[in-house]
Amino acid sequence: MSAVMEEFSKTIDDIDFREEFAKVGIGEILDELDRDLVGLKPVKTRIREISSLLLVEQIRQRLGFTTEAPTLHMSFTGNPGTGKTTVALRMAKILKQLGFVRQGQLISVTRDDLVGQYIGHTAPKTKEILKKAIGGVLFIDEAYYLYRPDNERDYGQEAIEILLQVMENQREDLVVILAGYADRMDKFFTLNPGFRSRIAHHIDFPDYNDSELFSIGETMLERQNYRLSPSAREAMTGYIVRRREQPHFSNARSIRNALDRARLRQANRLVAQQNPVRPEMLMIIEAEDILASRVFQDRGGMDSLDNLTSDFEGKS
């Protein structure tokens, strides 16, 4: 250690990072992320790593070390319903708490919010969105749709050029997160190297396994004071196995939609009953509320649920 560094180290106290995390509220946000999102261990690990880096950078600035503003633009890749928007919201909070953005708002957009339909329309649309996002995070879902090289009259390239300029010039007060399917995002970055060079963190969101999806469903119900009966739990395991095999499966989003429909059927069933209903019955989803789904119509309802439950347990 040089004499200068040795003398410097004598003038400051040791750094307690637990205390530092608590002081800026980052630990609480990360704990919320663990509680609110099932699974996603590699994603949570990466968010903690980024948070730790930013905290260290903040402390280095406070101590007078030479620092440069870190590049924080990100790419979130994965299938629908894997928690990308939820993580982006938490990331916006973390960035605000650490002072890397001023306000911490999340502005979520798609191509239609940025790209116009005629000459002169795209620039003002894109700039208006960026104006709202400055000081926070701009989340662009299905970002690959911005670029359509097969259409000569497409105005997506104009939006891309504006975005790239602002991502470079305003990177001290704006973080852009691009999101979408992994293979399409890879192609998008290949065709738009300017984006790849500005993205510091590439985070892949894995699909949930069957037991994680079941846990997510139970958590969704608990938040609304519902629960599954024992037979409904069995039906739900079967639903998850079958639904995953069908087109347009969207992880947690598909589970939420399924439970919303189950609640509709439960409500209709209760209202149609001739006898008075006990209050606790308002909280219980029964197997019939789930088995009425079209997912079961072509495979015999409960007939093969025993086999499906075994499959589910084997995948958990």
Side-chain angles (χ1 to χ4, degrees):
M1 180 185 295
S2 70
V4 174
M5 285 300 296
E6 186 174 353
E7 183 62 28
F8 177 79
S9 66
K10 293 178 181 177
T11 64
I12 60 173
D13 296 328
D14 290 342
I15 298 164
D16 184 336
F17 277 102
R18 288 186 181 181
E19 183 181 321
E20 293 289 345
F21 261 97
K23 188 187 301 181
V24 295
I26 299 306
E28 183 179 343
I29 296 172
L30 293 173
D31 289 343
E32 283 180 5
L33 194 63
D34 284 334
R35 289 195 306 268
D36 294 347
L37 284 182
V38 172
L40 297 180
K41 184 176 180 180
V43 175
K44 293 174 181 177
T45 297
R46 190 64 182 278
I47 297 302
R48 283 188 177 274
E49 291 172 346
I50 295 171
S51 301
S52 297
L53 172 65
L54 298 180
L55 180 61
V56 168
E57 282 296 303
Q58 185 190 62
I59 293 171
R60 284 170 56 87
Q61 290 177 14
R62 193 172 74 208
L63 297 178
F65 291 144
T66 300
T67 61
E68 291 184 3
T71 300
L72 295 171
H73 304 308
M74 305 177 190
S75 171
F76 288 180
T77 54
N79 291 323
T82 48
K84 295 186 290 295
T85 305
T86 300
V87 173
L89 278 165
R90 296 297 189 276
M91 198 70 242
K93 287 185 178 180
I94 290 169
L95 292 167
K96 180 181 185 298
Q97 292 296 104
L98 289 169
F100 285 90
V101 295
R102 286 177 294 112
Q103 298 173 349
Q105 76 277 21
L106 179 78
I107 303 298
S108 182
V109 300
T110 62
R111 172 192 162 89
D112 290 344
D113 299 298
L114 299 168
V115 181
Q117 298 178 344
Y118 51 84
I119 294 175
H121 191 206
T122 295
K125 284 189 73 172
T126 302
K127 290 176 180 178
E128 182 61 27
I129 291 295
L130 286 167
K131 182 179 178 181
K132 294 178 182 178
I134 290 293
V137 173
L138 176 63
F139 182 84
I140 307 177
D141 200 12
E142 298 182 315
Y144 35 75
Y145 285 131
L146 289 175
Y147 187 68
R148 292 180 175 174
D150 53 328
N151 186 348
E152 294 181 358
R153 300 186 64 182
D154 184 70
Y155 303 110
Q157 186 60 41
E158 184 179 2
I160 288 173
E161 291 172 0
I162 296 170
L163 284 168
L164 288 174
Q165 183 179 10
V166 174
M167 286 170 70
E168 185 63 30
N169 297 339
Q170 301 285 336
R171 63 193 182 99
E172 294 185 6
D173 201 26
L174 174 69
V175 172
V176 175
I177 299 177
L178 308 179
Y181 292 108
D183 55 344
R184 297 186 186 182
M185 289 302 296
D186 285 341
K187 184 177 180 181
F188 175 76
F189 286 132
T190 299
L191 296 172
N192 296 274
F195 268 116
R196 183 182 292 278
S197 65
R198 288 170 172 80
I199 298 294
H201 305 283
H202 294 261
I203 303 177
D204 185 58
F205 287 65
D207 287 336
Y208 294 107
N209 63 36
D210 290 353
S211 62
E212 289 171 341
L213 288 169
F214 188 88
S215 178
I216 287 169
E218 284 199 308
T219 299
M220 290 176 176
L221 289 175
E222 286 173 6
R223 288 173 178 167
Q224 301 177 73
N225 291 315
Y226 286 91
R227 61 183 173 84
L228 298 168
S229 71
S231 59
R233 288 173 63 87
E234 186 179 3
M236 193 64 195
T237 64
Y239 177 90
I240 290 170
V241 173
R242 294 176 185 222
R243 183 64 184 88
R244 288 182 73 109
E245 297 172 353
Q246 297 185 342
H248 311 299
F249 177 68
S250 301
N251 286 278
R253 196 175 302 164
S254 290
I255 300 303
R256 181 187 64 211
N257 292 339
L259 293 175
D260 283 346
R261 288 189 288 271
R263 288 171 52 229
L264 285 172
R265 298 185 194 106
Q266 183 236 35
N268 189 55
R269 173 173 56 80
L270 293 175
V271 170
Q273 288 190 22
Q274 299 296 321
N275 299 322
V277 173
R278 297 190 308 275
E280 59 267 26
M281 294 176 66
L282 302 177
M283 302 172 58
I284 301 173
I285 302 295
E286 296 288 357
E288 59 191 288
D289 304 321
I290 295 171
L291 293 171
S293 167
R294 287 178 296 177
V295 168
F296 290 99
Q297 289 180 4
D298 60 346
R299 294 179 61 177
M302 287 288 286
D303 293 342
S304 58
L305 270 183
D306 290 340
N307 292 333
L308 286 167
T309 304
S310 298
D311 291 342
F312 175 85
E313 291 171 348
K315 292 179 181 179
S316 62

